[in-house]
Amino acid sequence: MLSILLLSGCQHEKQYFEVSGMTHTPYHVKYEYSQSLEKEIKAEFANYYHSLNPFDSLSIISQINRNEEVEVDSLFAFTFRKVMQVSEQTNGLFDVTCAPLINLWGFGFSKRDSITQQVIDSIRSFVGYQKIRLEGSRVVKDDPRMLLNFSAVGDGGICDLVARLFDRHNIQNYMVEVGGEVVAKGVNAKGQHWRIGISKPVDDPAGMSQELEQILHLKQRVGVATSGDYRNFYVKDGKKYAHTINPTTGYPADQDILSATIIAPDCLTADAYATAFMVMGSAAARQLKEQVPEIEYFIIFTDEHGNYATEHSPGMEPYLSE
């Protein structure tokens, strides 16, 4: 009897914990559990960066980009296979080998005035997801100049890692947000479904506008990601060019979508398709949805008359109302 009493006395009541901070981007994590998991959460961030951070010279991806002999870990292999699936589904409009093209244009398109078709064509010769593969635990390139960069799905990938940590602890209520991408399950401390907002796509490079277009009510465990070019663009000859590069042309995407929000079973998938939607435009996005039934979308775009419009897939409807 004494041992039973002692054991019961050691049990901690469940409560909601919050962990927030800044790495490459702000993050906020909320979860209901009997103890803090802050140390474990930060370890998941470290695991991701060790494997997939292209700006860390010691990471696995950096060693691959330098053509060093290195075996990938399970996280790298999992992420690589996922993004290759999205690349195939989008016919290369999402492509993690397009880093040389992104570097060509420079941050904020700082180098755009010096770019020629000849230069783009020369770089495109060693860009393309079909030119790189995973053989066992090693990445094999068709051209040693190829570079990998998973930054387009980095925030979503970290969300998934932390969410899987919570799932292993059988945590039923949590919300993981990294750089605006989210994985949520259960309810918040008030017993309500987690809610996230989709911002209106106004020309706001400083990111000061907080006006919302829509609020999503996350009623089941899902990953959510949003991509938008309305805060990162340049104007030339009266035409606006987005910050997203089309890997198949080598030029900034010239499409009608201003913002794309994707709901998927995991956040890495949502993140990848949100980026792809920005490149392919609304017409191709509708067709893609038919091929990838596990995703739902909410897009903000300009219609054929140049007017601001919104559209969502039928499966998005339950998330748009309480």
Side-chain angles (χ1 to χ4, degrees):
M1 177 65 74
L2 179 60
S3 62
I4 294 175
L5 290 174
L6 287 174
L7 285 172
S8 63
C10 291
Q11 297 295 318
H12 296 288
E13 290 289 332
K14 286 185 178 181
Q15 59 178 299
Y16 276 83
F17 292 88
E18 295 189 21
V19 178
S20 61
M22 170 74 94
T23 52
H24 68 287
T25 190
Y27 65 88
H28 302 86
V29 181
K30 301 178 182 181
Y31 58 99
E32 184 188 30
Y33 197 50
S34 56
Q35 63 188 48
S36 172
L37 293 174
E38 183 170 0
K39 182 179 179 180
E40 291 86 346
I41 291 168
K42 291 183 176 180
E44 295 296 342
F45 275 79
N47 289 339
Y48 191 91
Y49 292 139
H50 167 71
S51 182
L52 294 160
N53 181 7
F55 305 107
D56 180 350
S57 63
L58 300 179
S59 69
I60 291 173
I61 194 171
S62 291
Q63 293 179 69
I64 291 169
N65 286 341
R66 293 193 299 266
N67 298 307
E68 297 175 3
E69 286 293 321
V70 59
E71 292 189 356
V72 305
D73 58 12
S74 59
L75 173 58
F76 186 102
F78 174 83
T79 306
F80 184 90
R81 293 188 182 102
K82 275 275 190 180
V83 297
M84 287 298 151
Q85 289 174 3
V86 178
S87 294
E88 291 176 3
Q89 288 279 7
T90 61
N91 294 317
L93 291 179
F94 176 84
D95 194 331
V96 294
T97 73
C98 73
L101 288 170
I102 296 172
N103 296 339
L104 172 68
W105 285 89
F107 181 77
F109 302 108
S110 58
K111 304 175 183 177
R112 64 182 180 267
D113 292 333
S114 63
I115 295 173
T116 65
Q117 184 66 54
Q118 183 178 8
V119 173
I120 289 176
D121 289 342
S122 67
I123 291 178
R124 286 179 62 210
S125 68
F126 57 91
V127 168
Y129 73 98
Q130 311 96 324
K131 303 172 185 177
I132 195 166
R133 58 199 174 278
L134 193 60
E135 293 184 357
S137 59
R138 295 186 183 278
V139 172
V140 178
K141 306 175 183 177
D142 287 352
D143 190 309
R145 294 173 295 176
M146 296 187 73
L147 299 175
L148 287 171
N149 189 322
F150 294 167
S151 295
V153 296
D155 295 342
I158 295 172
C159 284
D160 287 337
L161 276 186
V162 177
R164 288 197 289 270
L165 165 70
F166 291 161
D167 291 340
R168 291 196 297 271
H169 284 275
N170 198 32
I171 295 174
Q172 299 302 308
N173 302 307
Y174 61 77
M175 188 275 295
V176 184
E177 181 263 317
V178 180
E181 320 305 12
V182 172
V183 176
K185 179 181 179 181
V187 297
N188 61 21
K190 296 181 180 179
Q192 301 170 335
H193 294 297
W194 300 102
R195 299 186 299 171
I196 62 171
I198 300 174
S199 298
K200 282 183 176 294
V202 296
D203 285 355
D204 177 33
M208 299 300 291
S209 175
Q210 300 298 321
E211 188 176 2
L212 296 180
E213 175 67 41
Q214 185 62 252
I215 294 176
L216 300 181
H217 305 265
L218 307 182
K219 302 176 182 180
Q220 56 183 323
R221 187 194 188 285
V222 291
V224 187
T226 297
S227 286
D229 284 329
Y230 46 93
R231 289 178 181 165
N232 195 346
F233 58 87
Y234 75 93
V235 179
K236 183 176 182 180
D237 299 328
K239 186 174 181 60
K240 186 185 293 184
Y241 290 88
H243 82 284
T244 305
I245 299 296
N246 183 330
T248 63
T249 65
Y251 285 90
D254 180 17
Q255 293 295 345
D256 59 348
I257 294 183
L258 305 172
S259 170
T261 297
I262 303 294
I263 288 182
D266 61 88
C267 202
L268 189 156
T269 298
D271 218 353
Y273 280 111
T275 300
F277 268 43
M278 298 303 303
V279 178
M280 66 178 52
S282 62
R286 295 181 192 102
Q287 296 176 0
L288 178 66
K289 163 59 183 159
E290 299 300 316
Q291 303 170 31
V292 190
E294 64 267 27
I295 66 171
E296 304 298 342
Y297 69 81
F298 183 97
I299 58 173
I300 304 172
F301 62 103
T302 52
D303 63 20
E304 64 272 19
H305 305 295
N307 298 320
Y308 178 98
T310 66
E311 179 184 313
H312 60 268
S313 57
M316 182 67 83
E317 192 69 34
Y319 300 100
L320 301 181
S321 59
E322 190 62 82

